[in-house]
Amino acid sequence: MRMKTTTEPTAPGLDPARPAPVRIAALDHVVLRVVDLERSTAFYRDVLGCMIEKWQAELGLLQLRAGSALIDLITLDGPLGRAGGAGPAREGRNLDHFCLRLEAFDEAALRAHLAGHGVEAGKSGERYGAEGYGVSVYINDPDGNVVELKAPQ
C-alpha cells in the first residue's frame, strides 16, 4: 500500500510559514547493545563492509562507519551496556530494525555474499523508506537485530 505524502503540517499548532525548530537531515548513528563484541564487529565489518572508526574502551563503545552514519556497538558489561539492563535475547530486542541504504543492489550478488558469511536474507520486496519506494531484504545480525538492506533510488 502506498501512502500519500504531504508537506503540509499534520500536527496541531504547526505553521507552514514558520520554519520547524527541528529539521532532521539524516540518520547520524544507531547504538546497539551486543552480547559478543568480536562477533558483532566481524558481522558489521566483514559482512556489511563497515569500517572501524573509533574504540572507546572506557565506555565499552566501538564505532563503525556505515556510509555517512555510524553504527555503535556497546558491550553489555561496559558502563553504557550495564545501564541498559538485560541484553538482547529472544524475549526482548534492542529495536525493531534499522535500514541501511546501499549504493548498489545486485540481489544475486548480495545473496551470494551473505550466504558466504552464513547470513540468510529474507524475501525481497518493494518497501517505503526515506527516499521513497525501493527493493530491500532483511537480515539478522548476531544479536538478533534486524537490518534492512535497501536499494538506492
Side-chain angles (χ1 to χ4, degrees), residues 95-127:
L95 57 104
D96 180 73
H97 79 278
F98 66 94
C99 179
L100 299 173
R101 185 182 45 79
L102 305 180
E103 291 183 6
F105 195 91
D106 177 336
E107 188 171 348
L110 178 61
R111 286 184 180 278
H113 171 75
L114 294 169
H117 286 279
V119 177
E120 183 179 340
K123 184 178 176 184
S124 64
E126 188 84 4
R127 298 177 179 97

Side-chain angles (χ1 to χ4, degrees), residues 27-94:
L27 181 66
D28 185 83
H29 67 276
V30 173
V31 181
L32 300 173
R33 298 172 66 239
V34 301
V35 174
D36 182 330
L37 183 62
E38 287 184 31
R39 179 182 69 173
S40 294
T41 300
F43 176 82
Y44 285 99
R45 182 192 59 221
D46 302 341
V47 178
L48 297 183
C50 297
M51 301 294 295
I52 295 174
E53 182 150 322
K54 187 175 184 179
W55 167 242
Q56 297 182 57
E58 69 282 3
L59 298 175
L61 169 65
L62 178 69
Q63 297 178 291
L64 298 117
R65 175 64 53 185
S68 64
L70 293 174
I71 297 174
D72 296 350
L73 306 178
I74 58 175
T75 60
L76 295 179
D77 60 351
L80 296 176
R82 283 193 309 271
R90 187 183 234 7
E91 281 74 40
R93 299 187 309 195
N94 290 335

